[in-house]
Amino acid sequence: MTKIKLSKKQESIVNLNQGAYLVLASAGSGKTRVLTERIKRLSDTIDGRILAITFTNKAASEIRERLGVSEKINKNVFVGTFHSFCQSILQIRFKLLGYKKMPHIFEDDSDRLELIKQAINSVPFFKAIYDDLEPKKKNQYTYNALQFISTVKRDIISAEELAESSENEEYQYLFETYQDILKSNNAIDFDDIIRLIYELFANNEAVANLYRKSYSFICIDECQDLNKLQYFLLKALSGKTIKNVMMVGDPNQHIYGFNGSATTYMQEDFVKDFQAHKIILDENYRCSKSVIEASNELMNLDVEAVNYVIDGIFKITPVETESKEAEFVLNKIKELINLKTHDDIEGEIDYDKISILARNKFVFRNIEQLLKEEGIPYYFKSGNVGIKFSSTSMKIFDLYFRIKINPLDRLHLNRLESILKIKDVYNSNELQDSKYPISLSINRTVNDCNIDNLHLKIEELKKLFNDSIDQDDEKKLTLDELEEFSIQLIQYKKQNLRPSLEGFKSAISLGLTNHTGSKEKGICLSTVHTMKGQESEIVFLIGMDDGTFPDFRAVSKGGEELQQEKNNTYVAFTRAKRFLYVSYPKKRLMPWGDYKWRTISRFLKPLMKN
């Protein structure tokens, strides 16, 4: 096996044994390599198990890939997100939490929105308040209610306590109604997955002790993104038994404050509660000198470029309008592709080496249109979520599948009946006469399937759609989505010794089968939040005008929200390994049809050269 080359700083961290450690690792410092090598070494030298927690499925997949396949690793190391770790416990211990059957995950925002509307309409008092509101205020009311519910769960606070400090005390009762409706559907939402296991450990010492005895070492990656619930779960799991905890993170990459995360959990609470030793890892092995220097100036850092001397490119370009910005990016891409090679870039320059980043998805409209017109391959990078079906037939298939594995799921049953415009989906005569006669076949397919024959049933459906006379575009979309479903089923079966339909649906909901398939080809278009943890040889960062990046809401609020925007800019910069092209429009087209003059992002002003 090839020996991984480590710097002295990296090697000293890999060789750490017992104790609690906080590693403050800057972008590009090789923290994933360090974590992986430490896990490898520990797995060879200790008898106990190792728990490695990440914040994305891709990061977990990358660590597993670097660890390699061995009997010892498979037996002694768990690598996954907080959600996947908690889900693995929930599948075994759900009865201790008051569920007769394993609860199913309602992962979509649309599910949560529908549930809160059901909660509002089920109580005349709430319904009267809601019905009197204007449409915009109705949206704000439901949004605030869902935020209240998430805050109760993530901040480990009672609904009553939070209601006392809230403008709307009725949210306390909406919380209770929302939870009752969830339970009546034998379901949980994303926040519940971690909350339930925290409560299990906090209230059941015997169960907590079982897991404390299982794990000798814990590693937490990207710990700047910890929220209160996640940190308290770690404390409840560790108890007084597990003292060997390593956290690795970078306060300058903290960008998820809107999800309740805060750097204080790693920098203050962890250091105090675990008596953790601080270690600085401030080398950069990823980025060119130009990108590192720009990132240092942006954040007032002193990160050292080591291991090689590659100049790279960092350039800020003002353009007249958004359309001119898109033309600038397109022309630069063509120029780079025609160049074919560059001393700073390994291998041939192709579309796969290029990413275009922006603060919000709407910023991509002009460049996406030009890429389409030029026939240049591109894709939007997806987040840490499961499959999202677009075809009508696959939406129907998904609803039938959910009801098949969770008969108590009234939410998705009602949605299915609404799509089909029938009162009883199990009435074959009504199905035969409905707008979607093919749904009768989907119904029968799903009802007859089990985990062993599901792949065969999918193949039968594919043949059925191939033989149908549906419109070509809809048919092709359906067949593509069936193929994607089939690929994820294969991946799930490879990862699980005891597969089940319920387990497969949970894996889809948590995005656990997303990142092991074939790599998407072409130029990557991604928001900065979604690109976290990944990088490209060449990066275009567009839309860097004040009010867009930083976002106008953060500008008006200032404080921590504005700092998060600056951190987000730093994350965007450090996604570039070699070339970083930053641009902004001097004027932007407003929704009402007028142009508005814009200034360069306040974060970039110190980087502008005279």
Side-chain angles (χ1 to χ4, degrees):
M1 184 178 290
T2 306
K3 184 174 174 59
I4 301 294
K5 188 177 180 181
L6 301 168
S7 72
K8 287 183 179 179
K9 284 185 180 179
Q10 290 176 328
E11 195 164 4
S12 67
I13 296 168
V14 168
N15 289 327
L16 289 171
N17 290 309
Q18 295 189 350
Y21 301 96
L22 172 61
V23 180
L24 296 170
S26 59
S29 61
K31 64 180 178 58
T32 304
R33 175 187 297 181
V34 168
L35 272 176
T36 306
E37 291 305 306
R38 184 167 187 259
I39 292 168
K40 278 184 186 177
R41 189 186 67 78
L42 288 173
S43 68
D44 286 336
T45 57
I46 66 168
D47 294 329
R49 298 183 69 209
I50 302 161
L51 174 63
I53 296 292
T54 69
F55 276 80
T56 66
N57 293 316
K58 184 179 186 304
S61 178
E62 185 179 346
I63 290 174
R64 280 193 294 267
E65 189 176 323
R66 292 190 187 193
L67 285 172
V69 179
S70 74
E71 188 177 341
K72 207 163 190 178
I73 291 289
N74 291 343
K75 181 181 176 183
N76 294 335
V77 181
F78 180 98
V79 183
T81 63
F82 273 103
H83 285 94
S84 64
F85 172 64
C86 291
Q87 178 72 0
S88 70
I89 298 171
L90 189 59
Q91 286 174 339
I92 303 170
R93 311 286 176 188
F94 62 86
K95 288 184 179 178
L96 293 175
L97 291 159
Y99 293 91
K100 292 180 180 178
K101 294 183 178 180
M102 173 65 192
H104 295 268
I105 304 166
F106 284 1
E107 75 275 18
D108 283 348
D109 287 340
S110 61
D111 290 344
R112 295 183 70 231
L113 186 62
E114 197 166 327
L115 286 174
I116 198 64
K117 286 180 179 177
Q118 281 185 25
I120 290 167
N121 288 321
S122 68
V123 181
F125 173 75
F126 302 144
K127 189 175 187 304
I129 293 174
Y130 186 74
D131 288 346
D132 283 344
L133 297 174
E134 298 171 359
K136 280 187 179 179
K137 290 188 176 179
K138 282 182 177 178
N139 290 338
Q140 190 63 47
Y141 188 82
T142 54
Y143 172 80
N144 289 344
L146 289 174
Q147 283 294 101
F148 178 93
I149 290 166
S150 284
T151 302
V152 167
K153 295 176 182 182
R154 292 176 191 157
D155 286 359
I156 319 176
I157 185 174
S158 73
E160 185 178 5
E161 283 179 275
L162 187 57
E164 287 176 0
S165 61
S166 166
E167 293 179 5
N168 301 83
E169 288 189 16
E170 68 266 20
Y171 289 163
Q172 171 191 345
Y173 306 104
L174 278 178
F175 171 85
E176 294 163 0
T177 308
Y178 172 92
Q179 288 299 106
D180 287 343
I181 296 173
L182 260 181
K183 196 151 191 178
S184 72
N185 281 267
N186 190 40
I188 55 177
D189 64 20
F190 256 37
D191 293 323
D192 282 326
I193 299 172
I194 300 177
R195 180 185 65 88
L196 287 168
I197 301 308
Y198 163 70
E199 290 178 358
L200 179 64
F201 288 162
N203 300 326
N204 195 319
E205 195 72 7
V207 173
N209 279 330
L210 282 174
Y211 289 91
R212 288 169 191 157
K213 289 175 183 175
S214 294
Y215 295 105
S216 302
F217 285 81
I218 298 176
C219 300
I220 310 285
D221 191 18
E222 302 285 7
C223 61
Q224 75 274 355
D225 295 328
L226 283 166
N227 63 28
K228 186 175 181 179
L229 178 59
Q230 291 161 342
Y231 180 68
F232 272 58
L233 172 70
L234 171 66
K235 287 210 316 180
L237 169 60
S238 301
K240 295 179 180 179
T241 306
I242 305 177
K243 301 292 185 184
N244 305 316
V245 181
M246 176 181 282
M247 285 196 182
V248 183
D250 180 4
N252 293 314
Q253 295 189 66
H254 174 235
I255 60 175
Y256 293 109
F258 59 87
N259 280 337
S261 69
T263 58
T264 52
Y265 297 115
M266 76 168 188
Q267 291 183 292
E268 297 175 17
D269 297 300
F270 175 60
V271 172
K272 180 184 68 177
D273 295 337
F274 287 80
Q275 299 297 296
H277 302 280
K278 285 187 183 180
I279 301 169
I280 307 288
L281 185 59
D282 55 356
E283 305 162 329
N284 190 303
Y285 294 86
R286 177 198 302 158
C287 306
S288 63
K289 281 176 62 182
S290 297
V291 173
I292 293 170
E293 287 168 2
S295 303
N296 282 346
E297 195 164 353
L298 173 74
M299 301 301 287
N300 194 24
L301 300 173
D302 191 23
V303 173
E304 180 188 1
V306 292
N307 210 30
Y308 52 74
V309 180
I310 295 176
D311 289 330
I313 294 172
F314 171 76
K315 189 174 182 182
I316 299 175
T317 303
V319 290
E320 289 303 311
T321 63
E322 297 158 272
S323 59
K324 293 294 182 184
E325 182 178 38
E327 289 174 15
F328 159 74
V329 172
L330 178 67
N331 291 334
K332 181 59 69 176
I333 288 171
K334 286 181 176 179
E335 179 187 316
L336 290 165
I337 294 296
N338 290 334
L339 194 61
K340 292 189 178 178
T341 62
H342 191 284
D343 290 344
D344 287 354
I345 294 177
E346 185 178 349
E348 186 171 336
I349 299 173
D350 57 24
Y351 294 126
D352 294 344
K353 287 186 167 74
I354 300 172
S355 291
I356 304 174
L357 308 185
R359 172 63 177 79
N360 298 306
K361 201 167 182 179
F362 74 84
V363 179
F364 294 113
R365 284 177 301 204
N366 288 284
I367 186 61
E368 184 184 8
Q369 183 62 36
L370 289 185
L371 293 174
K372 276 182 184 175
E373 290 172 3
E374 294 287 330
I376 294 174
Y378 72 93
Y379 65 94
F380 276 101
K381 186 180 180 310
S382 58
N384 202 36
V385 293
I387 309 174
K388 301 292 182 187
F389 295 119
S390 299
S391 68
T392 302
S393 294
M394 283 307 290
K395 285 178 181 176
I396 291 170
F397 175 91
D398 181 54
L399 292 169
Y400 272 123
F401 191 61
R402 288 173 183 269
I403 297 161
K404 156 80 174 179
I405 60 176
N406 183 15
L408 295 176
D409 185 351
R410 293 292 309 175
L411 179 78
H412 293 101
L413 177 61
N414 291 340
R415 193 175 294 170
L416 178 61
E417 290 174 347
S418 176
I419 290 177
L420 298 179
K421 295 182 171 55
I422 59 176
K423 293 179 181 179
D424 182 3
V425 297
Y426 299 108
N427 184 323
S428 59
N429 290 330
E430 286 191 64
L431 277 176
Q432 195 72 55
D433 297 336
S434 73
K435 276 183 67 179
Y436 305 104
I438 205 163
S439 64
L440 176 62
S441 299
I442 294 173
N443 178 11
R444 288 171 177 166
T445 298
V446 173
N447 279 333
D448 289 344
C449 79
N450 54 54
I451 195 64
D452 295 320
N453 71 5
L454 181 56
H455 193 273
L456 177 64
K457 293 293 180 183
I458 293 170
E459 292 302 313
E460 289 175 0
L461 268 185
K462 283 163 71 174
K463 185 178 186 309
L464 177 69
F465 279 102
N466 255 326
D467 295 342
S468 72
I469 55 171
D470 290 347
Q471 294 177 358
D472 289 343
D473 289 347
E474 175 72 10
K475 182 195 292 187
K476 182 181 184 307
L477 183 58
T478 302
L479 288 168
D480 286 346
E481 290 181 341
L482 271 170
E483 183 62 28
E484 174 63 18
F485 188 81
S486 178
I487 290 169
Q488 298 214 13
L489 173 62
I490 292 168
Q491 293 299 334
Y492 167 74
K493 284 188 170 183
K494 284 181 182 177
Q495 296 165 10
N496 292 271
L497 294 174
R498 295 180 180 176
S500 65
L501 290 177
E502 292 82 359
F504 178 42
K505 189 68 191 76
S506 293
I508 292 174
S509 298
L510 292 174
L512 297 177
T513 53
N514 272 2
H515 300 290
T516 49
S518 59
K519 184 183 182 298
E520 291 176 286
K521 306 294 288 181
I523 295 171
C524 173
L525 273 58
S526 175
T527 64
V528 181
H529 278 99
T530 306
M531 194 69 175
K532 182 89 161 54
Q534 296 183 65
E535 61 276 332
S536 277
E537 301 287 326
I538 301 162
V539 168
F540 291 87
L541 177 57
I542 64 175
M544 287 302 294
D545 52 293
D546 223 49
T548 302
F549 204 163
D551 182 82
F552 68 94
R553 290 159 291 196
V555 170
S556 89
K557 290 180 180 177
E560 178 61 27
E561 293 209 22
L562 194 56
Q563 181 60 45
Q564 291 248 323
E565 291 290 286
K566 191 172 186 179
N567 292 353
N568 217 356
T569 309
Y570 173 67
V571 168
F573 273 30
T574 53
R575 299 314 95 197
K577 294 171 72 173
R578 301 294 182 262
F579 299 168
L580 175 57
Y581 298 96
V582 182
S583 57
Y584 71 96
K586 294 179 182 177
K587 55 185 180 180
R588 186 175 287 280
L589 184 63
M590 296 291 106
W592 46 89
D594 293 336
Y595 279 96
K596 185 175 181 181
W597 287 97
R598 313 292 279 185
T599 58
I600 188 172
S601 168
R602 63 193 64 201
F603 304 142
L604 298 183
K605 285 180 181 177
L607 282 74
M608 292 293 285
K609 307 299 182 186
N610 294 328

